[in-house]
Amino acid sequence: MNEGGKKTIKMLSLAVLGMFFFSFALVPLYDVFCEVTGLNGKIDLSPSRIVESDISEGRDITVQFVSHNNEQMPWDFGPSDEVINITTGKYYTATYYVKNTTSKAMVAQAIPSVAPSNAAAHLKKLECFCFEQQILKPGEEALLPVRLIFDNELPDNINNIVLSYTIFDVTEDNLDELASYMHEHGEDHHSMGS
Amino acid sequence: MSAVIESHDDHHHGPAKGLTRWLFTTNHKDIGTLYLWFSFAMFLIGGAMALVIRAELFQPGMQIVEPEFYNQMLTLHGLIMVFGAVMPAFVGLANWLVPMMVGAPDMALPRMNNLSFWILPFAFLMMLSSLFMEGGAPNFGWTFYAPLSTTYAPPSVTFFIFSVHILGASSIMGAINVIVTIMNMRAPGMTLMKMPLFVWSWLITAYLLIAVMPVLAGAVTMMLMDIHFGTSFFNAAGGGDPVLFQHIFWFFGHPEVYIMILPAFGIVSHIISTFSRKELFGYSSMVWAMVSIAILSFVVWAHHMFTVGMPLAAELFFMWATMLIAVPTGVKVFNWVATMFRGSITYETPMLFAIAFVVLFTIGGFSGLMLAITPADFQYHDTYFVVAHFHYVLVPGAIFSIMAAVYYWLPKWCGNMYDERLGRLHFWLSFIGVNVTFFPQHFIGLAGMPRRIPDYALQFADWNMVSTVGAFLFGASQILFLFIVVRTVMGGKKATPEVWEGAQGLEWTVDSPPPYHTFSTPPEVK
């Protein structure tokens, strides 16, 4: 093998390694891309600090709330109000009702999505149950708040926005958190089941 | 290393005897033969699975297999045909032809060549063994979209992941070997723009493989981590995104489909030129067309996923980028036709397959253009129209070109002429079989029959019956192909070194069959 050949092999091997790592780099790149462009209906999952603007500059829009249960997630889960009429630039609080219908304590995570997707960049949440996991004891129920605002830059052609939450059973992946929660709340460890 | 060569006995020696010849061989001709036989075996296995699918679809309702098994058949059929039949067949052709075409004594990395072949049977043994495991074989389609292939996958998915790792490693090693051979071992005087087109097509293909096979490895590695190590790359509950899987998969997948067609472009260019007895029309435009197709293949991936929900701007971009590929492809089809124009054409079997390739691949290209139209794609998506489209570019496209190559170069490889009458019979049976199988699938697809479903509504019954008859005709005619090839290898009319009147290229300057080692001293190319 001459020098040129060795150099070619070296370059190609580096290219292979580089592309392998590039495939993993696609994961954060994809998230950044979606966040910057607001595509894919992905919402910023951190609390915003936006201040309310002058309502007189806002306009009226309709927000519909929908809910999905992922797979066999047995909880009762749904919006308190299915439709609200709001004005952009002003904060509103909506609630979702949730009840653990099983006989074991469970951990859930709600994942939001917005349609149309280009409204996502204009939705800010001061507070949302989707920012954290929910732990409910057997039969426990709760009203989960989401405090949201649509900014005045919302594109004019969008008058109707659907805000969707899918609730996932993540108990299996969070047994430690569940155990410490039950401990703090004075429950017997074995009542959580599996 | 040079000291070893000097002390080495210089006279030509033949192959070793027995099984070890094949196990330990580092000879590019032996490894090419191994690749070709392996891919033919995979072609028959994958074909048998296709016949299970077609037999079930012969009539509406469930007759022969369980839906779960049907899903396994269609998944394995796709995986085996793509990674086991088409890709190894092209690698086998590259092994046989690239060194002889550029005037090199062997591939640049002979031992790695041996390794890259011999890990393949294990990869497919592992994949096929999952058929006998609890929960069955992979059943999520050859595109293995998450979460179907992670959360809902059978336990055997881990074996599938490792077999993809292995066959990916094999492809990458093969690609490195091809590039190093072409870049460093060409005969004196053979500049890049004097290289035979098959060599050019493989050089570009090899670069595509280097670029995207690691991405496939990354995708299955992420699946592995999601399944076994609690990560959430594609798991929405943990903050991942299933749509991300589709982006990563098709970032690999679209260049992959060109990996399966570019070598075919090279083969067909040789054959059409030889049997038209004319120099190929527009050599340099052929090269640049392949280069542009390869580059464009990286910016069109999302046309496979228009329906996942994309903003208008992205849909327009991917639609136009996809349609742009029709331009270099059109240049190629034009050049093939222009080569035949006023040529002294004879219709030997390789030429029949090559002409059928041009016509039928173009039909597949046109249906591809229809699918590229975003608003229309919403109707065509996941219907049999898509199935018809990609089978037209893969079966009478890639596979016809491989058959054409085998008929064209087989006399060179084994020194015997094949039976021309049987060859033509094989061609016509295959040609009729392929069209009877896949053309009706356009109709039932446009009428709305979904793909990957073992049962269908009554109005699709007639064309499905026709399609199944065609599939069995096509399948049976490949047994004839096997018979023809075996008979030619065993004996027959002796071939001259040129084999074909008007064939151009270094491989025709050596004997038929060629000595075990060719071009130990490089030829001079003017």
Side-chain angles (χ1 to χ4, degrees), chain B residues 271-291:
Chain B
I271 292 174
I272 286 183
S273 159
T274 295
F275 293 99
S276 304
R277 290 164 184 76
K278 275 176 66 189
E279 206 160 302
L280 186 75
F281 184 87
Y283 170 89
S284 58
S285 67
M286 285 300 216
V287 172
W288 289 113
M290 284 194 287
V291 172

Side-chain angles (χ1 to χ4, degrees), chain B residues 218-382:
Chain B
V220 292
T221 307
M222 289 179 216
M223 278 170 57
L224 186 76
M225 290 160 81
D226 271 10
I227 295 169
H228 293 293
F229 305 122
T231 58
S232 296
F233 286 104
F234 310 128
N235 177 9
D241 193 333
V243 177
L244 171 67
F245 178 88
Q246 299 186 26
H247 282 290
I248 295 177
F249 179 83
W250 286 114
F251 185 81
F252 146 79
H254 203 79
E256 165 71 17
V257 304
Y258 293 140
I259 286 165
M260 292 190 285
I261 203 64
L262 285 176
F265 290 167
I267 292 165
V268 167
S269 303
H270 283 261
I271 292 174
I272 286 183
S273 159
T274 295
F275 293 99
S276 304
R277 290 164 184 76
K278 275 176 66 189
E279 206 160 302
L280 186 75
F281 184 87
Y283 170 89
S284 58
S285 67
M286 285 300 216
V287 172
W288 289 113
M290 284 194 287
V291 172
S292 10
I293 291 172
I295 293 171
L296 283 172
S297 74
F298 286 100
V299 293
V300 298
W301 77 89
H303 68 212
H304 295 272
M305 34 191 293
F306 279 141
T307 56
V308 296
M310 255 189 281
L312 186 64
E315 286 178 340
L316 288 174
F317 171 79
F318 285 109
M319 174 170 87
W320 286 327
T322 305
M323 291 186 160
L324 207 54
I325 295 181
V327 177
T329 313
V331 168
K332 298 195 76 71
V333 173
F334 179 87
N335 286 350
W336 289 320
V337 175
T339 306
M340 287 189 273
F341 182 64
R342 294 201 167 164
S344 311
I345 305 181
T346 49
Y347 297 96
E348 282 88 346
T349 312
M351 184 60 162
L352 290 175
F353 274 106
I355 294 173
F357 169 92
V358 175
V359 175
L360 300 181
F361 175 78
T362 305
I363 291 178
F366 279 139
S367 58
L369 272 177
M370 291 171 69
L371 288 162
I373 305 169
T374 311
D377 181 73
F378 275 70
Q379 187 190 343
Y380 306 151
H381 187 86
D382 263 349

